[in-house]
Amino acid sequence: MNALILITILMVLMALRVPVVFSLLLSCFFYVLFIEPIPFIILAHRMLGSLQIFPLLSLPLYILAADIMNSGRITDEMFKLARSLVGHIKGSMGHVNVVASMIFAGMSGSITADTAGLGKIEIPMMVKAGYDKPFAVAVTGASSIIGPIMPPSIQMILYAMIAEQSVGRLFVGGAIPGLIMGLTIMIAIYYFAVRRNYPHDARRAPWKKIWQSFKQSSWALMTPIIILGGIISGIFTPTEAAVVAVVYAFVISFFIYRTLRLKDLLKMMVGSAVTSALILVIMGAASVFGWIITMENVPALIRDFIMSSTDQQWVVLIILNIVFLIAGCFFDICAIILVFTPMIIPVLTAYQIDLVHWGVVEVLNVCIGFLTPPFGVGLYVLSDLSGLSVAEVMKAVTPFLIPLLVSLALITFFPQLVLWLPGIVFE
């Protein structure tokens, strides 16, 4: 009963749009003031102790690397390469949008960075090429979901810390699902392009032009190769890889492409610090909330309830998918990962569901919620970028939830799509 009161207070506060960190802390304060008296110093120790984890140092660094890579000529070169590869297919600029997001996802790992950063270029580019704005907005929103799935991924780092799993395995495990998502979205784009007669390049780009585009973007393309290659080979850890990513992004942006100014770098550093601080405060508050939930024996109760209802792993996967999809429609992505994950780990363990497999499934679930009506944050980001009303964005985005849900179903019920590559790489 105590736990139910605590969770109810949290859900009500978050539904009322109280900032996530305050929702978590206020519900915890209510618990210790009126339900179970606990010295506040213990809560402070729990909060600070949860942040003293070495891999968390990578958060601000990956965010900073994404900001640097998102400046100037780097993204332009990505689009030129993508257009030379898929510009001849019907719905060409939509496909360019997706391919560019898949390439850039390996550099940013942030759904917000992909939506806001690339959206400023992708939406006007598609409108200028003859596509209607709602379609351009929908494609941009759908392709941005690939960012947190393809390595590196900030959301994967948070899940790895909570579930005590290898960040490297989660990074590598997201590669094939990311490709599947890109393919299913491109199939949907092709379908709409044929029905609506959207334009496309008359001819396939000659190999010479493709090679030229590849050479011009090769410096940027090396970023995910360096990050993953270093992690897989053991040259550096995922945390150290974040440092390498920042240094490399700075070198190619400042010395090679020459699009980065030092005064802009200072703004980016401040921005990454602010964003990281917000995530870490939420994580600390979620840790306190999770500790209270565990003390109330909620994870064990959830496990026992599900085990008494079914003994089929696939049924449990469906239940968990539904729960996370619904949660993703209403609540912050990081908050869902930090609050819900500790509750379901006993269930995953009891049903022998691989935690790396579920990590990729969970992140995709909550990221789909980023675009899901009525409260998906991505809908409002896209509305601000495009000038369309939120209702118009919702109507445009809804059909593209189908390929995303198909991708989710595939990786949920075919675990080897996630586990095959880490099994080879980390043997």
Side-chain angles (χ1 to χ4, degrees):
M1 179 59 73
N2 292 343
L4 182 60
I5 295 172
L6 177 67
I7 294 171
T8 301
I9 292 172
L10 173 67
M11 296 304 175
V12 169
L13 290 172
M14 292 178 71
L16 292 174
R17 290 293 178 180
V18 176
V20 175
V21 64
F22 294 118
S23 298
L24 288 164
L25 290 176
L26 287 172
S27 57
C28 291
F29 286 161
F30 181 89
Y31 179 88
V32 300
L33 288 174
F34 300 105
I35 298 177
E36 188 70 35
I38 299 173
F40 280 102
I41 190 66
I42 295 178
L43 301 186
H45 278 301
R46 295 294 310 182
M47 188 171 186
L48 293 175
S50 67
L51 303 179
Q52 295 175 354
I53 304 173
F54 181 68
L56 286 179
L57 291 173
S58 64
L59 277 179
L61 296 171
Y62 278 125
I63 293 170
L64 178 58
D67 288 342
I68 295 173
M69 295 295 289
N70 206 13
S71 65
R73 187 177 158 189
I74 294 176
T75 48
D76 293 339
E77 296 298 343
M78 293 298 101
F79 282 110
K80 289 178 184 177
L81 175 61
R83 184 161 190 171
S84 69
L85 292 172
V86 296
H88 61 284
I89 305 173
K90 286 189 176 181
S92 58
M93 298 312 291
H95 300 306
V96 169
N97 189 324
V98 175
V99 173
S101 290
M102 290 173 69
I103 295 172
F104 201 79
M107 304 172 197
S108 71
S110 166
I111 190 171
T112 306
D114 285 349
T115 305
L118 294 179
K120 293 175 184 176
I121 302 172
E122 291 169 338
I123 294 172
M125 174 189 72
M126 291 184 66
V127 172
K128 185 178 179 180
Y131 296 78
D132 58 86
K133 185 180 282 188
F135 183 76
V137 168
V139 173
T140 299
S143 66
S144 68
I145 302 297
I146 301 172
I149 305 303
M150 296 284 279
S153 166
I154 294 169
Q155 288 78 16
M156 296 285 193
I157 294 172
L158 294 179
Y159 174 86
M161 297 303 98
I162 299 297
E164 299 181 353
Q165 294 300 301
S166 163
V167 175
R169 283 183 174 273
L170 284 161
F171 278 4
V172 175
I176 292 177
L179 294 174
I180 292 172
M181 292 168 63
L183 179 61
T184 55
I185 293 170
M186 291 174 74
I187 291 172
I189 291 170
Y190 184 85
Y191 169 78
F192 286 113
V194 171
R195 286 194 60 184
R196 301 175 185 177
N197 197 29
Y198 284 135
H200 63 284
D201 296 345
R203 298 179 181 177
R204 182 192 297 267
W207 285 107
K208 183 178 180 181
K209 184 177 180 180
I210 295 175
W211 176 244
Q212 184 180 7
S213 298
F214 179 79
K215 286 196 298 182
Q216 290 173 343
S217 60
S218 59
W219 287 102
L221 289 173
M222 286 297 294
T223 307
I225 296 173
I226 290 173
I227 293 172
L228 285 181
I231 294 172
I232 292 168
S233 63
I235 296 174
F236 41 72
T237 67
T239 306
E240 294 164 345
V243 180
V244 175
V246 170
V247 174
Y248 184 76
F250 174 79
V251 169
I252 64 173
S253 299
F254 190 77
F255 293 105
I256 297 176
Y257 291 127
R258 298 183 179 179
T259 56
L260 178 66
R261 297 176 298 178
L262 291 179
K263 65 177 183 180
D264 294 331
L265 181 63
L266 180 60
K267 293 179 182 177
M268 292 176 184
M269 293 173 70
V270 172
S272 65
V274 171
T275 303
S276 302
L278 176 60
I279 294 173
L280 292 174
V281 169
I282 293 173
M283 185 172 181
S287 175
V288 175
F289 184 88
W291 175 67
I292 294 175
I293 287 294
T294 303
M295 192 169 62
E296 289 288 340
N297 210 30
V298 171
L301 292 173
I302 294 174
R303 179 197 62 205
D304 294 342
F305 173 76
I306 293 179
M307 290 186 73
S308 65
S309 304
T310 180
D311 59 356
Q312 299 295 319
Q313 187 185 85
W314 66 271
V315 175
V316 175
L317 286 170
I318 290 175
I319 292 171
L320 293 178
N321 269 298
I322 292 172
V323 169
F324 276 86
L325 278 172
I326 293 173
C329 298
F330 297 96
F331 306 124
D332 177 80
I333 291 175
C334 293
I336 296 169
I337 294 172
L338 295 170
V339 173
F340 283 65
T341 303
M343 295 188 197
I344 65 162
I345 285 179
V347 177
L348 300 172
T349 304
Y351 283 87
Q352 298 181 330
I353 298 171
D354 188 276
L355 294 181
V356 172
H357 169 230
W358 175 254
V360 177
V361 174
E362 179 178 314
V363 171
L364 178 52
N365 262 304
V366 296
C367 288
I368 290 174
F370 181 78
L371 279 184
T372 304
F375 300 118
V377 175
L379 301 173
Y380 297 88
V381 173
L382 291 168
S383 175
D384 289 339
L385 283 174
S386 64
L388 298 175
S389 68
V390 175
E392 290 174 311
V393 173
M394 287 182 188
K395 183 179 178 180
V397 164
T398 299
F400 281 90
L401 294 177
I402 296 173
L404 293 174
L405 291 172
V406 168
S407 302
L408 176 62
L410 287 173
I411 69 170
T412 297
F413 297 110
F414 297 94
Q416 284 307 309
L417 293 174
V418 175
L419 300 176
W420 177 73
L421 199 55
I424 293 176
V425 170
F426 294 99
E427 266 190 345

